[in-house]
Amino acid sequence: MIVVEKISDVREAIKAQKAQGKTIGLVPTMGYLHKGHLSLVKKARENSDFVCASVFVNPIQFGPNEDYNKYPRDIERDLKLLEENGCDLVFTPSVEEMYPNERLTTISVSKITNKLCGAYRPGHFDGVCTVVTKLFNIFTPDIAVFGQKDAQQVAVIKKMVEDLNIPVKIIASPIVRDKDGLALSSRNVYLSDDERHAALILNKSLKEAEKILKSGERNAENIISRVKNILESEPLCKIQYVSCVHPDTLEDLTAINDKALIAIACYIGNTRLIDNLLWSVDV
């Protein structure tokens, strides 16, 4: 596995692989990897010849009161896991390598970034879109894989790629959960034992949403109400939002006619967690 810290070295390696006719897959990460990230590497392996990952905690997607400085990091462990899971190249840049001078350019997707997480994290998706565009320009990948747990991020990046004619196929990989149902997240490490147990309420509420959808419920307000009631039954859980939207446009739904995304964000103690259910009506 090749490990590089410089943009020029990435470009040289990618040029050599493309000269051999190989397709390039990219998995952008912020490190502190878990099985969810590794499932993205596997998906990239299935859809490309040369699998690349980036490990970079991107400062411009964190707000002033968010956890950039304490965000968990363990680069040696990350590199070991990536090599064991078939990654061919890892890019581990410094902040200075990615943002060497005063940054005057920002990539901003409007409208669909103003709701869900975007409503509570102003500027977050500008930071995501800017760094992802930079990574796409550095790697020029044929495919890029992102996790469905960050469903809004997937929708935003797909729209950005469409609007800017970036020649990369975006693949969304399903949520990976622990044995007890909690969606894997690097931020789970912040949870105490009691909070870890309380966090199971997120998946429990989504399972209830799935249950009533299967029973024929199509009224979005009723589904949201049921999910909120379950979340509110856990004293350590503070709801930020529960929404029922179309997974592509993120438009709020009143009735579910074809497909829907039930998305939730909650604080368990001081830790913000997100989860979602992607639902398709059987035709």
Side-chain angles (χ1 to χ4, degrees):
M1 187 177 74
I2 305 165
V3 181
V4 297
E5 298 178 358
K6 299 296 182 184
I7 292 170
S8 58
D9 291 336
V10 175
R11 287 182 163 149
E12 185 178 332
I14 296 300
K15 183 179 179 181
Q17 295 301 318
K18 288 195 171 187
Q20 298 175 46
K22 292 185 179 180
T23 56
I24 309 299
L26 175 63
V27 180
T29 84
M30 293 207 301
Y32 211 73
L33 305 182
H34 51 65
K35 289 180 181 178
H37 296 109
L38 301 177
S39 74
L40 308 184
V41 174
K42 180 180 178 183
K43 183 73 73 173
R45 170 60 63 203
E46 293 169 355
N47 289 274
S48 64
D49 302 319
F50 189 77
V51 177
C52 306
S54 60
V55 177
F56 178 63
V57 184
N58 177 37
I60 68 170
Q61 70 188 66
F62 288 80
N65 298 314
E66 293 185 338
D67 58 348
Y68 173 71
N69 288 323
K70 70 171 186 173
Y71 192 85
R73 297 162 169 86
D74 190 342
I75 187 63
E76 294 306 320
R77 176 177 167 275
D78 290 343
L79 293 175
K80 183 173 183 290
L81 288 170
L82 288 168
E83 186 163 28
E84 289 173 353
N85 284 270
C87 195
D88 297 306
L89 181 148
V90 185
F91 180 41
T92 61
S94 64
V95 173
E96 293 71 29
E97 180 70 9
M98 290 297 283
Y99 305 111
N101 305 304
E102 181 185 7
R103 184 177 54 84
L104 302 180
T105 303
T106 297
I107 305 298
S108 181
V109 176
S110 62
K111 192 174 178 180
I112 61 174
T113 57
N114 296 332
K115 57 198 314 176
L116 303 179
C117 291
Y120 299 92
R121 303 185 69 188
H124 168 69
F125 285 110
D126 287 357
V128 170
C129 289
T130 300
V131 77
V132 169
T133 299
K134 286 172 72 71
L135 290 170
F136 286 170
N137 285 335
I138 293 164
F139 283 90
T140 59
D142 297 282
I143 62 108
V145 187
F146 294 85
Q148 183 60 40
K149 185 172 79 70
D150 296 296
Q152 184 175 17
Q153 176 175 273
V154 169
V156 169
I157 290 172
K158 282 183 175 179
K159 185 59 178 166
M160 178 187 78
V161 164
E162 176 189 336
D163 287 353
L164 299 182
N165 303 106
I166 301 174
V168 58
K169 179 183 179 182
I170 304 301
I171 298 174
S173 195
I175 296 173
V176 176
R177 299 183 180 278
D178 218 331
K179 290 178 181 178
D180 57 10
L182 182 65
L184 295 183
S185 168
S186 299
R187 289 184 168 93
N188 290 351
V189 71
Y190 299 154
L191 299 169
S192 68
D193 289 345
D194 287 345
E195 289 169 346
R196 177 69 175 67
H197 181 73
L200 301 181
I201 200 71
L202 277 76
N203 188 40
K204 182 179 177 182
S205 72
L206 292 173
K207 281 187 172 295
E208 178 64 17
E210 184 177 36
K211 178 182 172 183
I212 62 175
L213 279 161
K214 285 181 176 178
S215 73
E217 179 64 73
R218 295 292 177 265
N219 183 290
E221 188 176 329
N222 291 344
I223 295 165
I224 290 170
S225 178
R226 187 76 69 91
V227 170
K228 283 183 174 179
N229 285 342
I230 293 174
L231 293 171
E232 288 168 351
S233 72
E234 171 51 63
L236 294 180
C237 178
K238 304 302 178 198
I239 300 171
Q240 190 171 71
Y241 68 76
V242 178
S243 296
C244 180
V245 300
H246 192 281
D248 300 327
T249 65
L250 303 187
E251 292 287 342
D252 289 315
L253 299 176
T254 54
I256 298 169
N257 297 316
D258 56 353
K259 53 185 178 178
L261 176 75
I262 316 298
I264 58 180
C266 301
Y267 278 90
I268 303 293
N270 294 320
T271 304
R272 184 178 184 275
L273 300 177
I274 60 173
D275 205 342
N276 64 76
L277 169 68
L278 193 59
W279 171 264
S280 292
V281 176
D282 293 328
V283 178

